Amino acid sequence: MQQIIEFLQNNMQIIEISLITIFAIALIILFIFAFKVEGKLESHTKRVKKMVTISILSAISVILYYFIKFPLGWILPFIPQFLDIQFSALPIYIGGFMFGPISGSIIAIIRFIVKLPGSTTLGTGELADLLIGLATVLVSSIMYHKNKTKRTARTASISIVFVWVIAAVLSNWLFILPFYMNLYGFDAVLGMLTVIPGVNEQNYMLLYILYAVIPFNIILSGMVSFLTFVLYKRLSIVYKKI
């Protein structure tokens, strides 16, 4: 284990650049597939109806982000207080399931743009949310729209959790925590991580990911995934009746 840690420390810059490159290439490939899945011609009426619904879902996403949130640290004391449970990603996946991966991505991008002016991290946290949102909605929506069955919807919903956790780990490791430490100072951020058992200057990143990032994002993505699976079909039926 110690040898693995030493290898990671000695080659951190190369590993980080490689991971960022792989993540960027994966997103590009997913967008190519997404345009193929959702690139169907629609009537003018259907396009307008779709645009109005996407706008409504985007507005709901922003409202959920700003007005309905609570720190998971209230329940699990080893998770830092700055990690909030909030359901702003739910309309992204509902839009992706209803219309396709590009529509879901548009909702994620609108949420990102609206959140930027109020950012406390100079856009870093918002950028991480955007990357997580894009990765998860592209994978799950492409999967579902390839074969629209209840079984596929269940599998696509589960994929949200897996992709979300992987993207969250990479985002926190590569962007969020390093940025916080540069912005507020190493000691200030390390002080917020002291709720994690045994954390110190040498192991803070590993323990932060294991004790906070992974369990927090499993819980959050699991809740959002379940709600997506429960709600998307019911909302699709309402949409078709309008």
Side-chain angles (χ1 to χ4, degrees):
M1 185 65 179
Q2 186 62 33
Q3 292 177 338
I4 296 175
I5 295 175
E6 289 177 359
F7 173 80
L8 292 174
Q9 291 175 341
N10 294 333
N11 299 274
M12 187 59 66
Q13 189 173 7
I14 296 174
I15 294 171
E16 289 177 353
I17 293 173
S18 300
L19 289 173
I20 292 171
T21 304
I22 292 170
F23 194 70
I25 293 172
L27 278 180
I28 292 170
I29 293 172
L30 285 171
F31 267 113
I32 292 172
F33 278 105
F35 277 107
K36 290 183 178 180
V37 168
E38 199 175 337
K40 298 177 182 178
L41 294 175
E42 298 174 327
S43 67
H44 176 72
T45 303
K46 286 185 177 180
R47 283 200 303 270
V48 171
K49 183 180 174 183
K50 180 177 175 181
M51 288 171 59
V52 170
T53 307
I54 289 174
S55 299
I56 293 172
L57 288 172
S58 300
I60 293 172
S61 178
V62 174
I63 291 170
L64 288 174
Y65 176 77
Y66 280 110
F67 297 105
I68 303 177
K69 62 171 66 176
F70 59 91
L72 191 59
W74 290 353
I75 303 171
L76 302 176
F78 55 84
I79 291 182
Q81 292 293 319
F82 57 81
L83 294 176
D84 291 327
I85 291 288
Q86 45 86 12
F87 298 97
S88 65
L90 179 59
I92 296 173
Y93 306 121
I94 290 176
F97 276 38
M98 286 177 63
F99 304 119
I102 298 300
S103 297
S105 298
I106 290 172
I107 298 171
I109 293 169
I110 292 173
R111 182 189 65 164
F112 167 72
I113 294 171
V114 174
K115 285 167 57 182
L116 271 182
S119 174
T120 58
T121 63
L122 299 180
T124 302
E126 286 71 24
L127 178 60
D129 280 348
L130 175 63
L131 294 175
I132 293 170
L134 290 177
T136 47
V137 76
L138 287 170
V139 171
S140 60
S141 300
I142 289 172
M143 188 181 298
Y144 174 66
H145 282 270
K146 285 288 185 180
N147 183 26
K148 292 184 180 181
T149 64
K150 189 172 183 179
R151 182 176 181 180
T152 306
R154 187 181 299 112
T155 305
S157 298
I158 293 172
S159 76
I160 291 174
V161 178
F162 285 97
V163 178
W164 184 320
V165 172
I166 293 171
V169 169
L170 292 175
S171 297
N172 278 275
W173 176 20
L174 299 175
F175 304 118
I176 299 177
L177 201 59
F179 181 84
Y180 277 142
M181 289 185 164
N182 287 327
L183 183 64
Y184 298 112
F186 180 87
D187 292 336
V189 176
L190 187 63
M192 289 189 286
L193 301 182
T194 53
V195 295
I196 301 173
V199 72
N200 56 47
E201 295 182 2
Q202 286 72 44
N203 63 15
Y204 70 90
M205 183 64 79
L206 178 61
L207 293 188
Y208 172 63
I209 289 173
L210 291 178
Y211 277 84
V213 175
I214 292 177
F216 169 78
N217 284 284
I218 286 177
I219 293 170
L220 177 55
S221 61
M223 295 168 69
V224 172
S225 171
F226 173 75
L227 290 173
T228 300
F229 180 75
V230 170
L231 294 175
Y232 89 94
K233 196 64 178 179
R234 292 169 173 80
L235 294 176
S236 294
I237 293 172
V238 173
Y239 172 80
K240 292 174 181 178
K241 288 181 177 180
I242 297 175

